[in-house]
């Protein structure tokens, strides 16, 4: 405040962004708190998923047990019917034999024996209940984050002061247009980082590296800037020269190569940023 008053009194221009001053330590602490809240939400989601999976498993076991009982009863009914038919066939064969119809008696007796054997096989082949087979079909799954509707396409992004650390950059709205392949504004290819899209800019005329990232699931756009020494910039530019993707690409292999090259650039950056701008985005129009 004293510096601002001095500059105003001296009628010197002073850029201002209207965002509350935040130290890096404060910003990192807030990021950790947000990460803790996100982790707690994920753990709660995992517990809910586990409870649903357990309930689904119990329901599946009960249904499978009922189905198994019905199936076994059907097998037993079939075996009983075959046994009765076999016994009747043997009785008829005996009747043929008393009438000296030996040929008919043999054929009828053979059929009766086959029916009795089929009855025994049917009875033995009754399906047993196997809980392990049911458990294998009800694995615990934690659904991935659900993308907000309209997470891709042309977006208007507004600065979120509570999640940003602004030093010298403008906080005006930013417009981006991103397609499902990570092409931004029709000319810049971003690389996949999990469910997000990221691009690292290493300019020739500045001593600052910018990491741009867009998260479609939360419609969050961020710019993290790192102020580097001349030696660090030289190392970053050398690694940037290895990036072959200069324009948008639909080739997954090219995007994977871009992601690998950008990861190499990340290793040349300090562990802590100097400025971070976080934007909340919504569909344009």
């Amino acid at each position: 405040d004293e510096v601002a008053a001095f500059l105003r009194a001296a009628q010197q221009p002073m850029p201002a962004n209207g965002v509350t001053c935040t130290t890096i330590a404060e910003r990192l602490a807030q990021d950790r708190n947000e990460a803790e809240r996100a982790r707690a939400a994920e753990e709660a989601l995992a517990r809910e998923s586990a409870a649903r999976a357990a309930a689904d498993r119990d329901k599946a076991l009960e249904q499978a047990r009922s189905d198994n009982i019905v199936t076994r009863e059907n097998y037993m009914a079939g075996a009983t019917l075959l046994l009765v038919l076999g016994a009747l066939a043997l009785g008829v064969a005996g009747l043929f034999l008393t009438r000296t119809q030996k040929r008919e008696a043999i054929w009828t007796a053979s059929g009766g024996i086959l029916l009795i054997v089929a009855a025994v096989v049917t009875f033995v082949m009754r399906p047993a209940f196997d809980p392990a087979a049911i458990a294998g079909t009800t694995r615990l799954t934690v659904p991935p984050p659900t993308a907000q509707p309209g997470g891709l396409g042309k977006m208007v992004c507004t600065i979120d002061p509570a999640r940003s650390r602004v030093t010298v950059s403008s906080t005006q709205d930013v417009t981006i247009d991103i397609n499902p392949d990570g092409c931004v504004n029709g000319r810049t290819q971003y690389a996949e980082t999990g469910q997000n899209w990221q691009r690292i800019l290493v300019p020739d005329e500045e001593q600052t590296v910018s990491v741009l990232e867009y998260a479609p699931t939360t419609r969050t756009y961020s710019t993290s800037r790192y102020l580097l020494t001349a030696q660090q910039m030289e190392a970053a530019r050398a690694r940037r020269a290895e990036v072959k993707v200069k324009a948008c690409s639909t080739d997954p292999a090219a995007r994977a190569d871009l992601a690998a090259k950008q990861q190499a650039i990340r290793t040349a950056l300090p562990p802590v940023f100097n400025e971070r701008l976080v934007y909340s985005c919504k569909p344009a129009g």
Side-chain angles (χ1 to χ4, degrees):
D1 292 340
E2 293 179 359
V3 174
F6 172 79
L7 292 174
R8 283 194 296 268
Q11 297 183 348
Q12 295 296 319
M14 179 187 67
N17 51 45
V19 178
T20 303
C21 292
T22 304
T23 65
I24 293 179
E26 291 172 339
R27 180 67 266 162
L28 292 176
Q30 292 171 4
D31 289 344
R32 284 193 296 270
N33 291 337
E34 291 177 3
E36 286 293 333
R37 287 194 294 269
R39 182 162 51 251
E42 290 178 359
E43 291 175 354
L45 178 61
R47 288 193 296 269
E48 292 176 2
S49 297
R52 286 196 301 269
D56 291 343
R57 180 180 182 277
D58 292 341
K59 183 178 179 180
L61 284 172
E62 186 62 31
Q63 183 63 44
R65 186 177 288 108
S66 299
D67 293 343
N68 180 259
I69 291 174
V70 172
T71 302
R72 287 173 64 87
E73 289 177 349
N74 290 338
Y75 270 69
M76 292 175 64
T80 301
L81 178 61
L82 291 173
L83 184 62
V84 170
L85 292 176
L88 287 175
L90 290 178
V92 172
L95 181 61
F96 282 142
L97 192 60
T98 59
R99 296 179 179 179
T100 66
Q101 294 176 301
K102 188 175 181 180
R103 182 182 180 85
E104 289 80 357
I106 292 174
W107 282 105
T108 305
S110 298
I113 293 173
L114 288 176
L115 288 172
I116 292 174
V117 171
V120 173
V121 171
T122 301
F123 183 82
V124 173
M125 293 298 293
R126 290 171 301 163
F129 180 65
D130 184 9
I134 305 302
T137 63
T138 55
R139 302 294 185 187
L140 171 62
T141 57
V142 178
T146 303
Q148 295 189 33
L152 298 175
K154 192 171 185 179
M155 313 292 292
V156 176
C157 304
T158 303
I159 193 71
D160 185 348
R163 301 166 62 191
S164 303
R165 181 179 188 265
V166 185
T167 56
V168 297
S169 298
S170 169
T171 57
Q172 293 182 350
D173 290 354
V174 174
T175 300
I176 63 172
D177 190 353
I178 181 168
N179 71 10
D181 292 322
C183 177
V184 175
N185 298 333
R187 61 179 181 273
T188 305
Q189 181 63 53
Y190 280 41
E192 292 158 296
T193 56
Q195 294 187 334
N196 299 346
W197 294 97
Q198 185 184 91
R199 186 63 190 255
I200 300 178
L201 303 181
V202 185
D204 291 324
E205 65 281 357
E206 298 179 10
Q207 295 295 110
T208 303
V209 172
S210 299
V211 179
L212 315 180
E213 186 164 345
Y214 179 67
T217 55
T218 58
R219 296 199 306 212
T220 300
Y221 181 68
S222 65
T223 300
S224 300
R225 292 193 171 90
Y226 298 80
L227 181 60
L228 306 185
T229 64
Q231 184 177 3
Q232 289 173 324
M233 283 300 301
E234 183 179 353
R237 287 172 182 143
R239 297 181 183 184
R240 180 204 58 186
E242 299 176 1
V243 175
K244 299 178 181 178
V245 178
K246 305 299 182 182
C248 291
S249 174
T250 58
D251 182 10
R255 297 203 302 265
D257 181 71
L258 173 62
K261 295 297 191 299
Q262 290 197 151
Q263 183 59 35
I265 297 175
R266 286 298 297 262
T267 62
L269 301 180
V272 179
F273 55 83
N274 297 95
E275 181 181 54
R276 173 173 289 171
L277 284 70
V278 180
Y279 300 83
S280 296
C281 304
K282 62 182 179 180

